[in-house]
Amino acid sequence: MNVIDRRRNLGPADAQPLVFAAPTKQQTQSKNNKTSKEEPTSKKVFIETGTIKTSNGSAYLEHDKTIIMCSIYGPRPNFTRSFNDQATMKIGVSFANFIPVENLSIKSTNSINNVNNNGEAGATTSAESQSLEVSRNELEQLIQQFCFTNYQNLILLQNYPKSSLEIMIQVVSLNSQHSFIQLLSDILNCVNVALVDSGLQCKSMASCGYFKSSQSKEQSSKGDVELLVNMASDQNEILGVYCDLNDYDEQFKKGFEQCVENAKEFKTELAAYFLGCIAGSNQ
Amino acid sequence: MSKSQSDHHQQQLDPQTQFKSNNIIFPPETLARIAPHESLQQHLQLGLRPSLRKFNEFQTLDLKNGGISRYDQLLNDDSTNNSNSNSNTVLGSSIIKSGSSTVIMCVISAGIVEDSIDLVNDYRLKLDKDIIDSELAESNNGLNPDDDDAMEGIESNNNDTTNADKNETFRNFASVYTTTAINPPHFKPPTQNEIKLSQQLYTLIQTSKLIPQDSLKIPINLKSTTLNPQTGEEETVYITPQELAEVGLPQATNKSYHFVLYANLSIYSSLGDGDELLDLCFGALCKALKDVKLPLVYIEDKLSNGSSTNGKDSGTSSSHKMLASRGFKNVELFNVELICDSEKFTKLKLNDSKIGWFSSFGIYDLKPSSIDTTGKNNSKENEKAKQIILCDLEGDAEQDIFKRVSVLNHKDGSLGYVGIKSGSKDENHLKITKDVIQKCLKLAKFRSDDLLKEI
């Protein structure tokens, strides 16, 4: 089997990738001292719509050095032979080259190794295997699947027969301090905004809330609660829940409610932003 | 064209043109879609291009550093992002915005390759020049000896006698392995255009002698940790190869290594996907190369302990993964022993005088206006078509202009590459005249002088 990609100019096959040493303790300490003064507040999110002119809808989201771009193409005619009574949706996720994803996957599973399937109403939680190492492809597929189940229920696909929609997500830059779930919530929010920009018919505007319990030392044995809820906010319909929890106890309940709160809050922010856009364009 | 004007013309023109141009009137956007050539012709006759620019008007460009390389992030570090930047292997980046839409982002990373003896002491150098010449005559890829499947590299007027010299000199200059993606991500494998673009960029960088091979050489340091008796803290010391040589100790390793550079260009919301992207991509690549900082590489002192060994362990697995992600599978890696320091770096030394700007022009045969806007009789009927130069082609219609002149200007004023595509065998088309070429060269010089300040 030919394993070398001949269509890309990838350079010599025997090249070793760069391996960077972990920073020395001194450096980490000095930096930790600095940050201990600042409160770990949630960073601001920067969003812009309509960045990619050739697409039907696009959004750019920057959240503490994590940069995500989303572009939506469609509805376009679908030239498959069979008749489709509703639009087919494709989702493409890609991490830009040279972005290491190792930290991401390890972080997503390091607190709790066992991950369960979670069947919420109309929602799916994809489970990750116990192994710490998730390859780039697997990660992309995981995000793809999760997005697909989310947006299948949000976009009114039946209103676009014989056509196809493509949602392209690209992770341009990554703050690997962010956990996988945090990244996923950013991705979902980016797609949510791009969907509004595209003008596709949806049930309602969706927004995603993210919650992580404070990492106090006493709780660490139990594991931190980290989850996200993506919901169509007007109808209080939950599109997807993602978490890596063992048992669904009080903590989960609390986190869940917090997520819903966050999602609603984010939605009002977004609505204000879009109203501002309209007002701006009318002037 | 207003209704009354068109009525007026109906009486004067022959019936066929009447039907074509007057019976049906389309708004400009529709005409541009259904009959791009007609639309282009009509625009140009008015003295404007479909993009409403003038013929010789370039697009506005915005050229910046991308700010996503690991060293940028280290500088701006205001939070506990140590682990973050640690795994980031981006060494340089740039972003370029052209006109109102096209955005190109260029990201550069590197890998480490062991010098092969073949490269250092090439057998060809020892052979007679005749053999070299005949060998080169056989293979048409004279420009690029390392690459067997140079698919559609830059065509050059290869002169057989100078080819051997060329090859020897090019051997001393490196290039960047480029991948391009137009409107990423898409599900498809790279398109013909993307492959072509990547290869052209690779060849252009190599032939412009921008990156001397020597600047990619890795001086391999030895790392050692000592205890500072005064403070009681561990200190890291690097022993450079020069220091080793001075003391008369053997080098850290008897192998020599060099970096290979990878570039990844993402082109967003571009209207075209052809040659006109090469200008911008080349600019972005040069800008990013200027930004590249190469890390300090060392062989770890085996006795030292602590955090650095952890980094090494995770490194071996990550290198496998990175290879897999780049399409290489089942590759046996020998144990990685070269490690890059997380903060120390040197700037990549470039041949600054060879930084260039690539400009391409479209040559269009403008037929005299068939519609006389002054309302007089067609007195211009016998007038010949004239050639006009269009700068920075944009949009579908202009992309179909097949006559092109492309020029690469270096910073030192020399020309790196001049390409002239004269077009089809259509008997009506005009040959590109000397005047036009001269004018193109002038325009290219003007443009590059203007833009090279920013790179």
Side-chain angles (χ1 to χ4, degrees), chain A residues 116-128:
Chain A
N116 289 1
N117 266 319
N118 175 29
E120 286 286 329
T124 338
T125 306
S126 313
E128 199 36 52

Side-chain angles (χ1 to χ4, degrees), chain A residues 3 8-11 15-21 26 35 53-54 65 90 97-98 100 102 168 170 172 176-177, chain B residues 80-81 83-84 86-87 105 111-112 177-178 185 187 190 233 262 268-269 298 319 321-322 326-327 334 340 342:
Chain A
V3 288
R8 295 181 181 87
N9 204 353
L10 291 179
Q16 303 170 43
L18 301 180
V19 180
F20 285 94
Q26 270 184 347
T35 49
K53 298 283 189 311
T54 45
K65 288 173 189 164
K90 275 189 197 167
N97 275 8
F98 315 131
E102 290 81 23
M168 301 298 196
Q170 198 183 29
V172 178
S176 55
Q177 290 245 307
Chain B
T80 53
N81 276 338
S83 63
N84 167 35
N86 186 46
S87 49
M105 203 175 75
I112 296 175
Y177 295 97
T178 332
F187 301 116
E233 282 174 359
Y262 307 117
Y268 297 100
S269 59
Y298 62 87
S319 56
K321 264 182 250 151
M322 183 184 161
R326 289 176 64 78
F334 60 94
C340 306
S342 57

Side-chain angles (χ1 to χ4, degrees), chain B residues 16 33-34 43 67 113-114 159 162 177 198 213 224 231 240 320 328 354 357 364-365 372 384 401 423 434 439 451:
Chain B
Q16 217 177 352
R33 174 147 306 181
I34 57 174
H43 271 98
V113 170
E114 195 185 322
N159 205 343
T162 57
Y177 295 97
S198 314
Q213 190 73 54
S224 156
T231 55
T240 61
H320 271 288
F328 303 115
K354 291 294 179 191
W357 187 266
Y364 188 78
D365 301 340
D372 199 338
K384 275 185 185 170
I401 299 175
K434 201 172 147 193
K439 207 175 167 200
L451 284 169

